[in-house]
Amino acid sequence: MAAGTNRALFVGGMLLLGGFSSCQCPGGAKTNSVCPTELQGCETNSDCPDHFVCRTSAGHPNVQCCDRTARTCKSEPDCCPGQTCSANGRCVDVFDECPNGDSDCGDPDRVCQKWVDPVLGESMRCTYASCAADGSCPEGQSCFDNFCVINAPCNGSCPEGEGCVPQDNRCHPYGALCKATPQPGKLVVFKKPENVYDTCVMSELTCELVELPPLHSNDLGRYASAAVSAGQVHVAMYDGQYGDLVVADYDETGKLLKRVWVDGVPSGKTPVAGPSGPRGGVSEPGDDVGRFTSIAAAPVDGTLSVSYYDVTNGDLKYVERGADGTWGAPLVVDSAGDTGLFTSIKLDPTGKPVIAYFQKGGGNSASNACPDSPLATGLKVATATKVHPTSAADFTIETVSCSLRPEPPCYGCSAPGSAQVCASGTGGGVCKTPMADCAPACVTGQICVAGAAAGAPSQCVKQGSSAELAGIPLGSGLFPSLAFKDAMPVVAWYDHAKGNLMLSQNEGGTWKSYLLDGQDGAGKDTGNVGLFPSLAFDASGNYLVAYHDASKRRLKLFQAAAPAPSATAFSVIDDGLADPMKDGPSYVGADASLLLAQSGNFVAYQNSTGGDLRLAKFDSAASKWTVTKELTEGALGFFSRAVEMGGKLYLVHTRIHTKQTPGKPVIDNHLKVEVVTP
C-alpha cells in the first residue's frame, strides 16, 4: 500500500440479508413483472446473472426476483480482481481510500476517483487515469492496459498464476480462468479493466499478456545537435539517466516521429519494461556514451552520420544510419588518450564524413610536433577515406593544434602505487612523502608526512584531493566548429589556454592556424573571447563566425573574406543590454548556432542570465542584428541549434528542469523543437 493511503475492505452485498447461490426458491412463488425496476424476474437461480440469486423480494412475497447477494469464497481465486477472501468466507473489495483527493494516493502516477457500487454506493478510490480515446496520455506517461502510467502497476511483475489489477495496484490469482505464462517485458492482466471489484462478472474474466510501459528517461536532450533531410529534422542527443546516444526524427510541424537508443544499451540483459520501447526495456546501464554529439545528413539519400564521445573509455565514436533506416554498428574512431569531446561533423563535397574534435589529454599523433603526454590537449580532425566507413582504419587522424594543460592537483602522486601521497596545499593538493611516526597519531582526514624542513619531525596535515574542478577544460582546440570552403575543411575553435578565437584550415594538405580575436597586433591580450564558435560561409565565400565574448558577456560576429582580423571584421550581435528591465546586464551567446538561411542570417543562442533562448536576425537595411524571438518560460536555450527546412527555422534546444515529487526533487530535462516562420 502506498504511503499515506488507507486500505479499505468493503463486503459486497452487505446490505442484503440471506441468500446464497445454492438456495432454492420458495415453492409456489412465480415470476411477476412487478419486480423492482433494477431487478429482473426469475424462476430459478440459473435465470439470474452472476452475483444474483432467485428469491422472493422484500415486500413482494409472491414475486421471485434476481436479488444481489454477497459473493462467497473459499480462497482468493473465487473472488473478483480487486477483492480478497475474508476470514468469514466473503469476497471484499481492497483499495486505497482517498478522502482528501490525489494527495492520499502517495504516487504521482495515481489519481483519486469516484467508484460507484450498486449496493455499497459511492467511495473515493486511488487508481490510474484512463487513456484518451486515441490511446494518448499526458506528456511523460504512456498508455498501459487503458491506463496512463509512468511506471508499470504492480511493480511490473506478478507471481506465476496471478494477474495485475491496475485499479488497486496489486496482483490477483486467476486460478483456472486463463492460461498465461509470464514473459520478460510483459505483464499478465485481466481483460476488460472495468470488470473488477464486487461488480465484476466472473464468467467474463479472462486474462492476457500486455507489454509493460516503456522506460522513461528524466534526462533526455542534452548535448543535442540537428540536421535535416527528406522533410524531417533529425536530432542526436544524450540520455543522461542511462548514459546513451539517442537519435530522434521530427516532422515539419515539430512532432516527434520516433526515437532510437543507438548506443549505450548493454546486450544480453533481461527487459524490465516494454521491449518495443526505449532501450528495449533494459534498465541496466552500459558504457556512458552519447555526449558532445554532432549529426550530418546526406542531401541525396538521407544517410545520417553521428559523432560523439564515449565517456567510459575516453574515445571518439561514429555511427551511421543507412538510407534504408538501419543503424550500423558504432565505431571507435580514435582511442588515443582521452579524446572525442565537442565533436563537429560535416560531409565533404564527395559525401565523406569529416569530424573535428577536442582531445583532453594524451595520445597525440606526431603531426605538428605535439608531445605524447597525459597533459597534451589539442584540436584533432578525423577524415573518412570512404563515404560509408566501417572501421577505424577508414579514417585518417590528424592533430591540428596542441598545448599542454596545467598540471592538476597532486599530479604524479594520485596514481595507485605512487610512492607519495596527496596532501592539502595551494591549488587543492601537493605531493608529499608519507611517514609513519607522527605523534600523536593523525586523526581521520589527516595523513602523516615528512616535516617542512630537513630534520623537522613528521607532521599531520589535511589529506588533499586530486580531483579537478568541473567545468570547461583548459587547453587548445575546444568547441570546434567545422565547415567547408569549397573542398577545404575549416575549423573555428577556442583556445582556452590563451582565451582566443582561433581558426585552422587545411591549405593544400597542410593545416594552418590563424588568430581571429583575443590579442592585438602587438600580442597584447584583449579579453577572453571565442567560446562556442559557430562557423559558416556565405555565397561569396566570406568567413562568418559567431562566438561568445566572455570578458564583456556578449555575442560577437567575425566576418571577413580572409581569416585575418581587421577594423571592419567585427560586430556585436547582442551586447546583453537590450532588456535591462527584465534581467539587467546579461551573459549572452552561449551555445551559439549560426544559420545562413534563405530568408536571411540568423543566430540562435542562450541568454544564460535569464535562462532564455534567443533568436537574432541580421537586418540588412539597418545593417544591424535584432533579437526577433525570445523564449523565456523555464530554463531554456541549452545546447541550442538552428536548422532550416522548407523555408522554416527549427530551433532545437534543451530545457533544464527539476520537478517536485513526493519526498524529493527529480531531474526532468527534455528536448524541445520550436518551429519559427521567418
Side-chain angles (χ1 to χ4, degrees):
M1 179 173 64
T5 59
N6 301 310
R7 182 67 82 179
L9 303 177
F10 275 24
V11 180
M14 64 183 295
L15 301 183
L16 299 177
L17 301 176
F20 296 91
S21 58
S22 59
C23 74
Q24 298 294 322
C25 295
K30 298 181 180 179
T31 60
N32 193 295
S33 60
V34 296
C35 282
T37 303
E38 68 274 13
L39 302 179
Q40 70 181 56
C42 60
E43 293 185 354
T44 66
N45 288 341
S46 61
D47 296 331
C48 298
D50 178 53
H51 211 341
F52 287 77
V53 294
C54 186
R55 61 186 174 198
T56 55
S57 178
H60 301 277
N62 295 320
V63 178
Q64 289 184 186
C65 302
C66 292
D67 262 358
R68 187 179 180 86
T69 185
R71 196 185 304 278
T72 60
C73 57
K74 294 182 179 179
S75 62
E76 200 152 321
D78 296 332
C79 299
C80 290
Q83 292 190 307
T84 190
C85 187
S86 68
N88 62 358
R90 299 290 181 91
C91 293
V92 295
D93 290 2
V94 182
F95 57 91
D96 293 328
E97 196 170 17
C98 50
N100 300 309
D102 294 349
S103 61
D104 284 342
C105 299
D107 183 344
D109 237 4
R110 304 179 76 198
V111 297
C112 185
Q113 291 185 349
K114 182 195 303 182
W115 178 266
V116 180
D117 186 283
V119 174
L120 304 177
E122 297 180 358
S123 59
M124 300 304 295
R125 306 184 179 190
C126 292
T127 184
Y128 295 90
S130 299
C131 307
D134 62 356
S136 61
C137 289
E139 183 179 357
Q141 292 187 314
S142 58
C143 190
F144 171 81
D145 194 33
N146 296 314
F147 295 99
C148 290
V149 302
I150 299 175
N151 302 307
C154 304
N155 292 321
S157 66
C158 287
E160 189 167 356
E162 296 187 12
C164 180
V165 185
Q167 284 89 336
D168 72 344
N169 201 26
R170 61 188 288 269
C171 301
H172 183 83
Y174 49 71
L177 293 173
C178 59
K179 295 180 180 180
T181 303
Q183 297 179 15
K186 295 186 177 182
L187 183 62
V188 178
V189 298
F190 293 91
K191 289 184 177 179
K192 293 186 176 181
E194 71 280 359
N195 195 32
V196 292
Y197 295 134
D198 199 51
T199 59
C200 88
V201 178
M202 292 290 287
S203 61
E204 296 180 1
L205 285 179
T206 57
C207 55
E208 61 182 338
L209 278 171
V210 176
E211 182 168 305
L212 290 170
L215 286 178
H216 177 75
S217 174
N218 291 321
D219 186 7
L220 189 60
R222 292 186 292 137
Y223 302 101
S225 58
V228 299
S229 72
Q232 293 183 2
V233 178
H234 313 289
V235 181
M237 69 191 83
Y238 175 62
D239 182 341
Q241 181 166 336
Y242 297 102
D244 300 335
L245 170 69
V246 179
V247 177
D249 298 328
Y250 297 82
D251 68 11
E252 69 279 358
T253 68
K255 178 182 177 182
L256 175 66
L257 299 175
K258 67 176 180 179
R259 274 194 295 246
V260 178
W261 272 249
V262 179
D263 193 10
V265 183
S267 60
K269 304 299 182 181
T270 301
V272 296
S276 66
R279 308 187 93 243
V282 174
S283 63
E284 295 180 56
D287 286 351
D288 187 356
V289 299
R291 301 191 197 190
F292 304 112
T293 74
S294 186
I295 187 170
V300 177
D301 62 6
T303 295
L304 298 183
S305 299
V306 183
S307 57
Y308 56 103
Y309 176 51
D310 180 338
V311 179
T312 300
N313 300 293
D315 297 338
L316 169 68
K317 299 189 77 172
Y318 169 87
V319 69
E320 183 177 296
R321 188 178 81 179
D324 62 354
T326 302
W327 286 97
L331 308 177
V332 175
V333 177
D334 188 354
S335 60
D338 187 1
T339 194
L341 293 80
F342 306 113
T343 73
S344 177
I345 192 170
K346 291 292 187 295
L347 304 181
D348 72 10
T350 65
K352 300 184 185 71
V354 180
I355 308 168
Y357 56 100
F358 171 67
Q359 177 174 280
K360 187 178 179 181
N364 273 318
S365 62
S367 59
N368 284 335
C370 293
D372 188 3
S373 164
L375 299 177
T377 68
L379 170 66
K380 301 179 80 172
V381 173
T383 303
T385 57
K386 56 176 66 174
V387 173
H388 303 293
T390 57
S391 71
D394 295 330
F395 285 90
T396 299
I397 298 174
E398 299 172 281
T399 301
V400 176
S401 180
C402 66
S403 66
L404 294 178
R405 61 187 173 94
E407 291 185 359
C410 289
Y411 181 72
C413 65
S414 57
S418 172
Q420 292 188 305
V421 293
C422 184
S424 180
T426 304
V430 293
C431 295
K432 294 285 187 179
T433 301
M435 303 298 287
D437 58 349
C438 287
C442 300
V443 299
T444 302
Q446 292 183 329
I447 54 176
C448 183
V449 299
S458 300
Q459 59 181 341
C460 293
V461 298
K462 184 178 179 182
Q463 187 172 7
S465 173
S466 60
E468 296 182 75
L469 294 175
I472 300 174
L474 291 172
S476 58
L478 284 80
F479 307 115
S481 178
L482 172 65
F484 280 87
K485 181 176 172 63
D486 298 324
M488 180 176 65
V490 183
V491 184
W493 51 278
Y494 172 57
D495 184 348
H496 193 189
K498 298 179 180 179
N500 294 336
L501 172 65
M502 302 293 296
L503 184 139
S504 299
Q505 58 189 26
N506 192 316
E507 301 176 4
T510 301
W511 284 96
K512 294 185 178 181
S513 297
Y514 300 87
L515 170 67
L516 299 186
D517 196 4
Q519 293 180 9
D520 61 17
K524 182 181 178 180
D525 182 26
T526 58
N528 182 16
V529 300
L531 291 86
F532 314 108
S534 183
L535 170 67
F537 291 95
D538 63 17
S540 300
N542 293 313
Y543 296 75
L544 285 83
V545 185
Y547 60 99
H548 176 57
D549 178 346
S551 295
K552 296 186 178 179
R553 307 180 299 186
R554 59 187 180 178
L555 178 62
K556 293 180 67 178
L557 179 73
F558 171 87
Q559 183 172 358
S566 67
T568 60
F570 301 99
S571 59
V572 175
I573 297 174
D574 189 341
D575 60 11
L577 303 174
D579 199 353
M581 297 303 294
K582 286 187 176 181
D583 302 312
S586 300
Y587 283 89
V588 295
D591 293 326
S593 179
L594 176 63
L595 175 65
L596 308 188
Q598 297 176 8
S599 53
N601 295 348
F602 297 86
V603 183
Y605 57 99
Q606 187 188 51
N607 170 5
S608 301
T609 300
D612 304 329
L613 174 66
R614 285 185 176 180
L615 179 69
K617 181 182 181 181
F618 182 68
D619 184 342
S620 56
S623 191
K624 68 175 184 178
W625 289 85
T626 304
V627 175
T628 59
K629 191 173 186 65
E630 184 167 18
L631 303 176
T632 62
E633 295 184 7
L636 308 174
F638 294 89
F639 309 100
S640 55
R641 297 293 183 267
V643 291
E644 181 186 30
M645 183 175 68
K648 294 182 179 179
L649 307 185
Y650 294 81
L651 308 182
V652 176
H653 62 113
T654 307
R655 186 194 73 165
I656 303 298
H657 181 249
T658 299
K659 65 180 179 181
Q660 294 296 323
T661 62
K664 63 177 182 179
V666 176
I667 291 174
D668 184 31
N669 303 333
H670 70 265
L671 188 88
K672 297 179 73 68
V673 178
E674 319 286 352
V675 184
V676 178
T677 301

